[in-house]
Amino acid sequence: MENIGTVYLVGAGPGDPDLLTLRAARLLQSARLIVHDGLVDPAILAMARGDAVLISVAKQRSKHTVPQEEINALLIREALAGRDVVRLKGGDPFIFGRGGEEVEDCRAAGVPVVVVPGISAANGAAAAAQIALTHRDAASIVSFVAGQCKGLSEQDWAGLAGKGRTLVIYMGVKTAPQIAEKLMADGLAPDMPVAIIENAARPEMRVLRGVLAGLPDLVADEQVVSPALIVIGEVTARTNIQLAHIAQEATA
């Protein structure tokens, strides 16, 4: 057991290196082996020590360069060989990051695991766009869903969005038409405000606003690409309202 390494499951946050936790930054700067996702910003990878080995296991929708089972096996193999491994994931490892699967397999193989949480994509994107996911006047419930999961049309999303609720959709760019259709079929008003946050917390970030019925056209017309989050709910319109008030006061 003394020769077994530890797998550190580390959240890289939404992209900006300044949003890393102190522990994540220390691990990056000391690690000799880093296994990272494709969405980890190059500026974060640049923090690694000069002699560190970086292994990319980047994933694309419906196409994995390295299947999840092989990633798990890689982590276990390296740890059993006595090497510590930093497994670096965008956002937080336990929010749509498959971190749970990696922990389970490592523990089953007798490999110790340490989880270092990161700022989730939802929290980071909302903060960067100044969209409060909860607000006393608009929302007291927040739900996170995956927009490209299997059986999307069969899932019951009724009650996830609407009055007093905020819905955050990960990985929903490609399925925006189905998402809008499904939510409206489940009773959500076509004029419910929505926002798309692309490349959150990065210099090239864009925040696009519209309504639910126009979500597919907004994605297509603006050529939105991943990484991007879709936020649905009254909170997405509040920033525009506040800016309008400020502009009116400035010209009064």
Side-chain angles (χ1 to χ4, degrees), residues 12-24:
D16 187 341
D18 286 343
L19 297 179
L20 285 171
T21 64
L22 291 174
R23 190 173 192 189

Side-chain angles (χ1 to χ4, degrees), residues 131-164:
I131 295 173
L133 296 180
T134 65
H135 193 291
R136 287 195 302 168
D137 298 328
S140 59
I141 298 174
V142 181
S143 300
F144 298 160
V145 301
Q148 64 175 31
C149 57
K150 296 179 180 178
L152 175 63
S153 59
E154 287 76 34
Q155 293 184 24
D156 183 6
W157 284 13
L160 292 183
K163 186 70 175 177

Side-chain angles (χ1 to χ4, degrees), residues 34-46:
I34 299 172
V35 178
H36 65 91
D37 286 346
L39 291 180
V40 176
D41 195 279
I44 292 177
L45 296 177

